[in-house]
Amino acid sequence: MAEALQEIIPITTGFSKAFLIRGQGNILVDTGAGKSFEIIGKALEAQKLRFTDISHIFITHCHHDHLSDLVKICVASGAQVAVHRLEAPSLRGGRNADVVPVTFAGKLFLLLAKLPPIADSLRFTGIEPHLQIDSELSLEEFGIRGMAIHTPGHTPGSVSYLLEGGEVIIGDLLMSWKPGGKPQYPMFATDLEALRGSIKNLLDRGARMFYLSHGGVCEASEIEKLLK
């Protein structure tokens, strides 16, 4: 029997993205920002799927703009949630993982984030993770030919999801200000050297198409230029 084709379907939710990975199984990577429940529901319908067709939700890192409506989606789908063990306390407690600004925009955002209206919007509802990732985890048992790989740098417990065809979802390891824009380092990084090492690790492991949560899809050649 021929193996099922695999594809990554980006789902834009506010200023971030969730990603549906289709293969023998169906998993979500992150749940995005804004009113993501309705948006993801419509995206699933377009694929002739329902929430109950999602078996797992894998998290890239525990920042609010990647976790909108997570609990609501879990209830609707019955999906189990996976996160790196270093960020399990953040997910459990409904608090953002460490944020360290490395750009002027990042520093300005942190100042504004102290204001009550913005501070309130940065919260998310905590949930107990069903599965904790360490250094890496095969996705085969979830019907996806690929690996979850620990890629620290943006946060200590950031995880990327590399498929056997070279497509990789990297969360906020890199960003671009618009779809099709040039990749750049993120506004926040707990360890820039570790972040660069994580990107190099993905390239060395055959990553060729990088899916950014803020931005579009970048080829490996663009990423290599950034590292020079």
Side-chain angles (χ1 to χ4, degrees):
M1 181 187 239
E3 291 185 316
L5 294 175
Q6 293 196 145
E7 63 176 327
I8 295 174
I9 300 163
I11 305 170
T12 299
T13 62
F15 58 90
S16 188
K17 286 187 175 69
F19 298 90
L20 170 65
I21 305 180
R22 299 203 65 178
Q24 291 279 33
N26 304 292
I27 66 174
L28 275 179
V29 175
D30 291 344
T31 55
K35 297 180 179 179
S36 63
F37 181 83
E38 292 81 4
I39 295 170
I40 291 173
K42 289 179 181 178
L44 292 173
E45 287 178 11
Q47 296 293 317
K48 296 183 169 51
L49 296 174
R50 297 173 295 179
F51 277 114
T52 51
D53 293 310
I54 302 299
S55 66
H56 288 76
I57 301 170
F58 286 85
I59 305 302
T60 59
H61 62 288
C62 286
H63 283 164
H64 71 283
D65 55 324
H66 296 257
L67 300 169
S68 181
D69 286 344
L70 173 61
V71 173
K72 192 174 181 180
I73 292 170
C74 283
V75 171
S77 64
Q80 296 193 337
V81 180
V83 69
H84 193 272
R85 62 174 179 80
L86 292 177
E87 308 215 353
S90 294
L91 184 66
R92 190 179 294 118
R95 59 179 178 81
N96 287 294
D98 291 346
V99 176
V100 179
V102 292
T103 67
F104 175 77
K107 293 175 183 177
L108 179 61
F109 179 86
L110 275 194
L111 288 174
L112 294 174
K114 295 178 181 178
L115 300 175
I118 298 177
D120 292 342
S121 72
L122 302 184
R123 298 191 179 95
F124 62 90
T125 303
I127 187 172
E128 181 69 33
H130 302 87
L131 179 63
Q132 294 188 37
I133 301 164
D134 198 354
S135 58
E136 58 183 58
L137 175 73
S138 172
L139 301 176
E140 289 278 353
E141 65 178 289
F142 314 115
I144 302 297
R145 301 187 302 278
M147 298 291 296
I149 302 170
H150 183 210
T151 49
H154 177 61
T155 66
S158 289
V159 176
S160 296
Y161 298 91
L162 176 63
L163 304 188
E164 70 169 14
E167 304 90 351
V168 62
I169 298 167
I170 63 170
D172 289 357
L173 281 184
L174 297 172
M175 63 175 292
S176 63
W177 289 107
K178 59 182 180 179
K182 290 184 178 180
Q184 56 188 279
Y185 293 117
M187 294 189 295
F188 306 102
T190 55
D191 189 332
L192 270 176
E193 281 306 307
L195 185 147
R196 288 171 59 86
S198 292
I199 297 169
K200 186 176 185 304
N201 180 37
L202 293 172
L203 289 166
D204 290 344
R205 295 182 69 150
R208 60 180 183 82
M209 297 296 292
F210 288 70
Y211 286 72
L212 282 57
S213 293
H214 303 285
V217 183
C218 299
E219 296 182 4
S221 57
E222 296 179 82
I223 309 299
E224 289 165 348
K225 289 177 187 176
L226 186 64
L227 292 179
K228 291 180 179 177

